[in-house]
Amino acid sequence: MKLLLENWRKYLKEVSMGRDMTNSIEYTALVLDNDSHEKLAVYAPEGWKVIAHHMTIIRPHEMKSGRLPSQWLDFEGCFEVTHIAQNEQVMTALVDLGDTPIPMKGPVMPHVTIATNPETGGKAYMSNDIPITSFEELSEPISICGAVEEVFR
């Protein structure tokens, strides 16, 4: 009965917002502020498409299995980028979450896709496939900040 009431409350909240949330959320992420975007964008190779927008917490195809607990949707914070990796299709930054227990669902490691190479067909999701051994440590960590948001279609 308790579970039924909790789910009913969630449903009412979503309906009162004017949309069916479960079908319209594309992904959940720490969306970077403009300053953080700019700090990472300078690493993009010439001619590549700059992304440097967010750190995915729940990937699009994982959204159907559940949303992030609501207390995280008000979270704003800063983290450090400690390593960067690049192949012929994508460049990505490894994010150190420190002691912050963000409940990641999907991505193997917390990262921000910096840029993709349009000449080789690079796509942002390809940063998920870069092995941890490909990352090179930065001489100085880069501080990035943002807010956890559900990104809609």
Side-chain angles (χ1 to χ4, degrees):
M1 183 64 153
K2 182 179 177 186
L3 184 59
L4 179 64
L5 288 174
E6 285 176 18
N7 287 329
W8 181 247
R9 280 190 204 110
K10 275 197 254 179
Y11 172 76
L12 288 177
K13 183 176 180 185
E14 291 171 359
V15 169
S16 71
M17 293 179 77
R19 64 171 107 189
D20 178 4
M21 305 292 267
T22 56
N23 292 324
S24 59
I25 301 169
E26 186 171 351
Y27 60 92
T28 303
L30 177 78
V31 177
L32 302 183
D33 62 23
N34 192 53
D35 186 48
S36 299
H37 167 80
E38 295 297 328
K39 286 179 187 177
L40 294 177
V42 299
Y43 286 88
E46 179 115 7
W48 284 38
K49 179 183 176 189
V50 175
I51 310 280
H53 173 262
H54 67 275
M55 177 190 77
T56 303
I57 296 171
I58 303 177
R59 293 188 295 193
H61 62 276
E62 302 285 341
M63 286 304 305
K64 291 180 180 154
S65 63
R67 296 171 65 189
L68 194 65
S70 60
Q71 71 264 25
W72 285 103
L73 295 177
D74 294 329
F75 179 82
E76 292 184 20
C78 296
F79 301 100
E80 290 191 339
V81 167
T82 57
H83 295 72
I84 290 181
Q86 175 183 342
N87 61 25
E88 62 282 342
Q89 294 178 307
V90 67
M91 174 183 263
T92 190
L94 187 64
V95 179
D96 181 355
L97 299 178
D99 294 333
T100 308
I102 294 178
M104 307 277 294
K105 187 185 244 181
V108 175
M109 60 194 161
H111 66 277
V112 175
T113 301
I114 296 174
T116 57
N117 185 351
E119 287 185 18
T120 60
K123 303 290 181 202
Y125 70 85
M126 294 174 174
S127 60
N128 291 303
D129 299 328
I130 292 184
I132 193 72
T133 55
S134 297
F135 283 84
E136 294 182 19
E137 188 171 6
L138 295 170
S139 58
E140 186 122 351
I142 303 165
S143 179
I144 59 168
C145 301
V148 174
E149 299 178 20
E150 292 177 325
V151 178
F152 297 93
R153 297 180 208 282

